[in-house]
Amino acid sequence: MVGIRDLDLNLLLIFHEVFQERGVSPVAKRLQLSQPTVSNALARLRRTFGDELFVRTASGLQPTPFAEELAEPVALALQHIARALNRSEPFDPATSKRRFTLAMSDVGEVYFMPSLIERCGVLAPGVQIGTVRARAVDMKEGMETGRIDLAVGAFDNLSAGLYQRRLFIQAYVSMFRRGHPFEGRAVTLKEFVAAQHLMVASTENPYERINQTLKKAGIWKNGASQVPHFVAVPYIVSTTDLVVTVPKKLADSAAGPFNLATIKPPLRLPTLQTNIFWHRRFNQDDGNQWLRNLLFDTFSE
């Protein structure tokens, strides 16, 4: 077992940079070190861990499986150390190199990320924005530890220990290809139920409740096609006669690129409230505040 006393922490910085750059020369240039210094650091790390860490290939240095496992915890540790050392310095988006992680659903990524990345490119070109899939992580624990900076979505099961701010409320609409028999007219419940539907079999709240309502209306009596997430939905309905019921923001984003149309479904469906969530530990963090305000200014209604 390798202990902290057994390792020069500066070596972890070099490991992190080599993992990002996949080469010795760019790391030496970025850290203002000689190439032999970087190579010697890698040799020391190899001896310490008993692993090659990086193997030279035609496409540069490629990490071993052990290095892949080591990369994320090392990056997080370096990030936390940097924050601790610079906690008195105000966050400056124009010069910051900070990486933010947001928890979102797949439909959230489709709607939020293009505009958010574009805005950050203008206001904070050095800032990195990444996402984790909401259902794949413990969001409360992630925000408490700082591994997740914000959660953005209709997460009505998040509350204790978290602050939140509403972005918007949206309805559900039913979406289909242009030229579909439903386009441009009022559709009766009988016609709606009789149509061929695409179901997004998500178990996340509140989408699961929507599926239950559709089932009670008889949508699945004649069978329905299913996908486990929203990303593939526009591709499927744009080339078939299937009808899918989705949040309006997703429909608005997909309508133009995929030549789709929508109607208000002839069912009473609940609205969907989308919020920003953050942990109270980071309520006063300058960077967290900046990103929250950027999201609110860009997307709130």
Side-chain angles (χ1 to χ4, degrees):
M1 181 177 179
V2 178
I4 294 179
R5 293 182 180 180
D6 304 321
L7 191 64
D8 179 352
L9 295 183
N10 287 317
L11 298 180
L12 294 181
L13 175 61
I14 292 176
F15 168 85
H16 173 71
E17 294 293 337
V18 173
F19 186 86
Q20 298 294 321
E21 299 290 344
R22 299 296 200 264
V24 169
S25 298
V27 171
K29 183 177 181 180
R30 181 170 178 174
L31 299 181
Q32 297 183 337
L33 299 171
S34 67
Q35 291 189 34
T37 298
V38 176
S39 297
N40 289 336
L42 289 178
R44 291 174 61 189
L45 284 168
R46 285 167 174 146
R47 289 194 297 270
T48 298
F49 291 114
D51 187 270
E52 280 294 301
L53 297 180
F54 298 96
V55 178
R56 191 171 298 280
T57 69
S59 56
L61 293 179
Q62 295 301 315
T64 65
F66 177 77
E68 292 275 6
E69 293 181 6
L70 194 62
E72 184 176 359
V74 166
L76 287 171
L78 292 173
Q79 183 182 60
H80 287 311
I81 290 171
R83 288 183 185 179
L85 295 176
N86 296 284
R87 59 189 177 186
S88 61
E89 297 181 9
F91 175 81
D92 181 5
T95 59
S96 176
K97 303 294 182 184
R98 182 166 167 180
R99 178 179 177 82
F100 293 95
T101 299
L102 283 69
M104 295 182 180
S105 65
D106 59 335
V107 67
E109 290 172 342
V110 170
Y111 179 70
F112 290 108
M113 289 303 288
S115 297
L116 183 58
I117 291 173
E118 181 180 11
R119 291 280 287 160
C120 282
V122 174
L123 301 174
V127 164
Q128 301 176 53
I129 303 291
T131 64
V132 294
R133 191 58 54 83
R135 67 180 177 184
V137 296
D138 184 333
M139 288 189 287
K140 289 177 66 175
E141 189 271 341
M143 284 188 281
E144 182 178 297
T145 60
R147 290 197 297 270
I148 297 173
D149 295 283
L150 301 172
V152 185
F155 307 126
D156 53 9
N157 56 344
L158 286 179
S159 57
L162 300 178
Y163 294 131
Q164 58 183 284
R165 188 177 188 184
R166 191 177 78 186
L167 287 178
F168 50 76
I169 295 176
Q170 62 177 314
Y172 282 88
V173 297
S174 294
M175 183 169 69
F176 40 80
R177 64 170 178 80
R178 290 278 181 188
H180 190 281
F182 282 179
E183 184 179 2
R185 67 181 185 86
V187 176
T188 67
L189 179 59
K190 183 178 180 180
E191 290 174 317
F192 187 75
V193 171
Q196 291 298 307
H197 289 261
L198 176 65
M199 305 294 290
V200 182
S202 173
T203 58
E204 297 178 6
N205 285 325
Y207 306 121
E208 186 177 25
R209 295 201 304 272
I210 300 300
N211 285 340
Q212 290 172 353
T213 301
L214 294 174
K215 287 180 182 179
K216 288 179 180 178
I219 296 300
W220 279 10
K221 283 184 179 179
N222 299 323
S225 301
Q226 293 185 57
V227 291
H229 44 66
F230 286 92
V231 173
V233 163
Y235 295 91
I236 296 172
V237 297
S238 67
T239 57
T240 68
D241 281 334
L242 295 175
V243 177
V244 65
T245 299
V246 298
K248 188 175 185 300
K249 296 292 184 183
L250 173 62
D252 291 344
S253 299
F258 291 92
N259 198 30
L260 302 173
T262 63
I263 59 168
K264 181 180 179 181
L267 288 171
R268 180 172 294 181
L269 297 175
T271 55
L272 192 65
Q273 179 170 312
T274 297
N275 297 334
I276 308 170
F277 298 87
W278 65 98
H279 197 275
R280 60 188 180 191
R281 283 186 59 205
F282 303 97
N283 188 51
Q284 300 300 321
D285 178 82
D286 287 347
N288 195 291
Q289 288 181 347
W290 172 81
L291 185 56
R292 293 187 326 245
N293 289 332
L294 179 63
L295 282 162
F296 187 80
D297 292 343
T298 305
F299 298 105
S300 66
E301 296 178 353

